[in-house]
Amino acid sequence: MKIALTSLFVDDQRAALAFYTDVLGFTKRHDIPLGDDFWLTVVSPEAPEGPELLLEPSAHPAVKPYREALAEDGIPLAQFAVDNIEAEHARLVSRGVVFTQPPTDVGVAVVAVFDDTCGNLIQLIEMKSAGD
């Protein structure tokens, strides 16, 4: 068994696609109309055949209170791995991304959290090697 697809609820699929591709650097994989919405997925350019992230419409009534409660507590809804968190943090800040937590050493990793402008907090993580 392996993870092929996971999803994030987004307020506006087109705005989310722009942020996730133009700002974060993901690549659009699927963009299929489904009524008023789309089956809209992105992938890492480092793993174009790897897991897809579905940018899911947030219209369901349970989504808003769920995301608001997590954001209020500072809990990210997704986590993306990076090789160099300091460089990625600097790159994203230069592109206007707002971080709610700067790179922070948590022992086995360094993490940072940003607002994806689509209703979610996202965590970046750089795992430390055994000798760090």
Side-chain angles (χ1 to χ4, degrees):
M1 187 179 307
K2 63 183 177 179
I3 297 171
L5 179 124
T6 189
S7 62
L8 277 177
F9 292 107
V10 297
D11 298 329
D12 178 307
Q13 286 185 295
R14 290 292 153 209
L17 179 62
F19 181 82
Y20 277 81
T21 56
D22 299 342
V23 177
L24 297 185
F26 289 100
T27 303
K28 179 174 65 174
R29 179 85 181 269
H30 294 288
D31 188 352
I32 303 166
L34 295 172
D36 292 336
D37 298 312
F38 302 86
W39 181 262
L40 187 56
T41 68
V42 296
V43 295
S44 169
E46 298 170 29
E49 299 302 318
E52 296 177 61
L53 177 63
L54 175 63
L55 303 175
E56 181 93 32
S58 62
H60 190 283
V63 172
K64 185 177 180 187
Y66 168 71
R67 289 194 311 170
E68 286 176 351
L70 291 178
E72 186 176 311
D73 290 341
I75 298 171
L77 285 171
Q79 179 173 294
F80 302 144
V82 296
D83 293 329
N84 182 329
I85 200 163
E86 293 293 340
E88 192 64 19
H89 176 261
R91 181 184 81 82
L92 294 176
V93 166
S94 76
R95 298 186 64 95
V97 174
V98 175
F99 279 78
T100 61
Q101 177 185 327
T104 304
D105 190 319
V106 295
V108 299
V110 179
V111 299
V113 178
F114 66 87
D115 181 334
D116 77 349
T117 72
C118 308
N120 305 296
L121 293 178
I122 306 294
Q123 180 170 283
L124 298 179
I125 185 166
E126 175 188 346
M127 296 301 297
K128 292 182 181 180
S129 60
D132 290 345

